[in-house]
Amino acid sequence: MSAWIATLHQTFIETGYWRQMLLGLQNTVYITLGALCIGVVVGALLAICKFFSEGNRALRPLELFCDLYTTIIRGIPMMVLLLVFFFVIFSGTRNKLGVCILAFGLNSAAYVAEVIRSGINAVDRGQMEAGRSLGMSKIQAMYKIVMPQAIRNILPAIGNELITLVKETSVAGYVGVMDLTKMGERAKSITFDAVNPLLVVALTYLIIVLGLTRLLKMAERRLNRDKR
Amino acid sequence: MISVKKLTKKFDDLVVLNNIDTEIEQGEVICIIGPSGSGKSTFLRCLNMLETPTSGQIIFEGNNLTDPKVDLNLHRQRMGMVFQQFNLFPHMTVLDNLTCAPIMLKKESREKAEQRGIDLLKRIGLADKAKAWPAQLSGGQKQRVAIVRALCMEPDVMLFDEPTSALDPEMVGEVLDVMKNLAKAGMTMVVVTHEMGFAREVSSRVLFLADGIIAEEGKPDQIFREPKTDRLKGFLAKVL
């Protein structure tokens, strides 16, 4: 045990590499949070566009665009999408972190859109009708009646998406973004300690995911307080 | 108050309502009876345009609701509706269910809306449930709250879509009592129902819908004691 602690000390403290590891963690958090924001905003927009364009002939192109978007994004592996963003769309960019956030965000948006759409569809149709029968517009009933209930269906699935996202960002190293995984890899090659950097990286992801799971549980419990 | 003119509703090729004409006057309590699938609910839902008629007109207080230019939301505020499945908003307390529409749509103050909500809850004996969630109520209580929710908008007419069909038998009475009191107070009501006792006792006119048309209509005595058409005779023989 003490021999192991000595190795840890040697690998991270003596080399001063713990600072790089923290930097990597910071980048991973930035990418995740940034991508989550983009994902939720763009995803919600897509879902709402789809909701209002369904069955409305004038908005048919909008519906087609939303369908096309989710089909394309969901049909391409994240890794390939990232490479396309870096070497095709934004080739020669200096803001690697920004492009990375955008790529992960737009990827997430497709999944979030589907999650939100199915969450809205899962709310009983009678709820919208009850709102409309009182004189609410479609948007008012959506905002006041359907959405608050849909969020209950949506939140657990968004949580899943967030957890997937955290772990997916580990491929960011492929395009030279210094995320947690990349930093672990580098620590390995610099210190010749093949075990501990990866162990630390793996544990860090695990702790993040455990923390997120707890947060989500708490949020769910709050949202379900009327179901006691 | 409501004129229905040549109302036709088709679902694809299926004709549900076929060229229906009728007038609903202020203060009338109209019960709509008929075999299942005869278009009763569809007819009712056309009155406030929850279903869009295929052709024909609904004129409500002088406004043609089938005109695409008319502001439906405004007119719906004066037509309350009660659903078979209650459709209370499960994420709001009972009181919030009652006040959300008046506050949002009529810009009423919260105090005023809540005061009226509580007054109405008192009248149906549910004042102690103001802070309860819908999930904590029995079916009969839910439906009574749903009726009061519609009343909170102070509508000119109330539409009931089989309000007791989803209830356990012992809870039917409490809901019908609320509706009877409402009728006595002079509310204009259109009720789709299978409760023949209620139709007989409370309604001022009964419409018998069959095969997409009003096959027979008249005062309840006339409908139930002296049915003219074979269709109605056959129907009454089955349900009475």
Side-chain angles (χ1 to χ4, degrees):
Chain A
M1 186 70 187
S2 62
W4 183 54
I5 291 173
T7 326
L8 275 184
H9 190 268
Q10 210 173 6
T11 307
F12 294 108
I13 312 294
E14 275 174 30
T15 56
Y17 214 82
W18 60 274
R19 261 185 247 109
Q20 262 85 341
M21 296 296 277
L22 272 184
L23 214 67
L25 175 62
Q26 189 190 332
N27 278 340
T28 292
V29 171
Y30 280 167
I31 298 170
T32 308
L33 290 183
L36 181 72
C37 291
I38 294 177
V40 168
V41 171
V42 177
L45 276 176
L46 284 169
I48 288 167
C49 286
K50 246 192 117 162
F51 183 81
F52 282 104
S53 58
E54 254 165 20
N56 186 334
R57 213 167 289 157
L59 295 175
R60 186 94 180 104
L62 190 65
E63 192 184 354
L64 280 178
F65 170 80
C66 295
D67 282 342
L68 193 68
Y69 182 91
T70 36
T71 309
I72 290 179
I73 296 280
R74 291 208 295 185
I76 299 176
M78 184 59 233
M79 195 45 222
V80 178
L81 199 68
L82 195 61
L83 291 171
V84 169
F85 263 70
F86 265 82
F87 300 113
V88 181
I89 304 175
F90 294 101
S91 62
T93 179
R94 280 163 196 280
N95 187 356
K96 285 184 173 181
L97 198 64
V99 174
C100 206
I101 289 173
L102 193 65
F104 280 107
L106 292 182
N107 179 63
S108 250
Y111 295 92
V112 171
E114 282 304 295
V115 164
I116 294 179
R117 200 179 59 86
S118 65
I120 291 173
N121 285 342
V123 175
D124 183 42
R125 263 189 44 187
Q127 292 290 313
M128 176 56 102
E129 287 184 350
R132 297 303 304 275
S133 78
L134 288 165
M136 294 179 197
S137 69
K138 200 170 179 186
I139 291 171
Q140 283 171 325
M142 189 74 197
Y143 170 74
K144 190 84 185 174
I145 310 297
V146 177
M147 245 358 214
Q149 297 179 61
I151 283 176
R152 270 206 280 244
N153 309 327
I154 293 169
L155 196 80
I158 295 262
N160 261 340
E161 177 56 28
L162 176 58
I163 286 167
T164 312
L165 182 61
V166 174
K167 294 187 291 180
E168 247 184 1
T169 58
S170 62
V171 300
Y174 263 87
V175 290
V177 172
M178 295 300 161
D179 76 317
L180 182 61
T181 309
K182 183 74 173 176
M183 287 303 191
E185 282 275 303
R186 279 178 57 173
K188 196 178 80 179
S189 57
I190 287 170
T191 60
F192 299 112
D193 179 349
V195 179
N196 292 315
L198 284 182
L199 214 57
V200 168
V201 167
L203 268 178
T204 314
Y205 281 114
L206 185 64
I207 290 167
I208 295 176
V209 170
L210 285 178
L212 286 175
T213 313
R214 269 204 95 133
L215 273 177
L216 283 163
K217 276 255 166 65
M218 276 160 57
E220 261 176 67
R221 214 171 303 144
R222 235 192 95 70
L223 279 172
N224 283 331
R225 71 207 144 116
D226 57 332
K227 285 215 176 136
R228 277 169 307 188
Chain B
M1 177 176 267
I2 306 178
S3 314
V4 178
K5 292 182 179 165
K6 299 203 184 310
L7 172 64
T8 298
K9 175 70 184 177
K10 290 181 195 164
F11 290 113
D12 296 322
D13 285 335
L14 180 71
V15 181
V16 183
L17 300 175
N18 192 0
N19 227 359
I20 291 187
D21 281 291
T22 193
E23 289 281 335
I24 297 162
E25 304 294 342
Q26 172 99 39
E28 271 195 296
V29 176
I30 295 183
C31 280
I32 303 176
I33 60 171
S36 57
S38 60
K40 303 184 297 288
S41 288
T42 309
F43 175 76
L44 193 76
R45 289 162 58 83
C46 280
L47 292 184
N48 70 349
M49 298 289 286
L50 278 185
E51 297 289 352
T52 314
T54 309
S55 65
Q57 292 178 332
I58 309 286
I59 317 279
F60 173 56
E61 296 179 339
N63 306 288
N64 181 2
L65 301 188
T66 45
D67 180 353
K69 277 180 295 226
V70 91
D71 184 358
L72 263 184
N73 299 326
L74 209 61
H75 300 304
R76 280 199 185 120
Q77 291 183 15
R78 283 179 284 117
M79 310 174 103
M81 186 158 196
V82 175
F83 299 86
Q84 184 176 357
Q85 298 296 336
F86 329 130
N87 294 342
L88 290 182
F89 306 135
H91 59 298
M92 297 180 190
T93 62
V94 166
L95 191 58
D96 286 338
N97 262 279
L98 306 187
T99 57
C100 83
I103 291 174
M104 182 195 247
L105 302 170
K106 292 176 139 184
K107 309 289 171 223
E108 248 172 40
S109 71
R110 179 165 290 277
E111 295 75 43
K112 190 179 165 212
E114 288 192 345
Q115 192 53 53
R116 185 184 37 231
I118 287 172
D119 285 348
L120 282 166
L121 282 178
K122 269 187 198 147
R123 223 179 294 168
I124 58 165
L126 290 177
D128 56 325
K129 299 289 185 191
K131 295 283 173 222
W133 299 100
Q136 297 166 320
L137 303 181
S138 72
Q141 292 172 332
K142 279 183 198 167
Q143 194 60 300
R144 278 143 70 198
V145 170
I147 293 172
V148 167
R149 176 177 69 183
L151 289 177
C152 277
M153 287 299 286
E154 300 180 326
D156 298 337
V157 55
M158 287 280 287
L159 312 175
F160 294 84
D161 189 4
E162 303 197 22
T164 58
S165 296
L167 294 175
D168 290 339
E170 80 257 34
M171 292 170 182
V172 170
E174 61 190 69
V175 171
L176 291 182
D177 282 342
V178 172
M179 291 168 63
K180 278 177 203 165
N181 288 334
L182 203 55
K184 266 185 217 145
M187 175 64 77
T188 311
M189 294 162 66
V190 185
V191 187
V192 171
T193 187
H194 293 292
E195 294 293 330
M196 295 305 147
F198 177 85
R200 208 170 193 165
E201 188 185 336
V202 183
S203 66
S204 56
R205 183 156 56 112
V206 177
L207 304 184
F208 174 63
L209 237 67
D211 307 320
I213 56 166
I214 299 177
E216 197 167 336
E217 70 175 298
K219 299 249 176 259
D221 277 355
Q222 194 184 329
I223 290 286
F224 290 105
R225 296 231 179 91
E226 304 145 18
K228 291 191 200 84
T229 55
D230 290 341
R231 197 82 175 79
L232 178 56
K233 281 177 196 161
F235 173 74
L236 289 176
K238 274 183 219 143
V239 296
L240 286 181

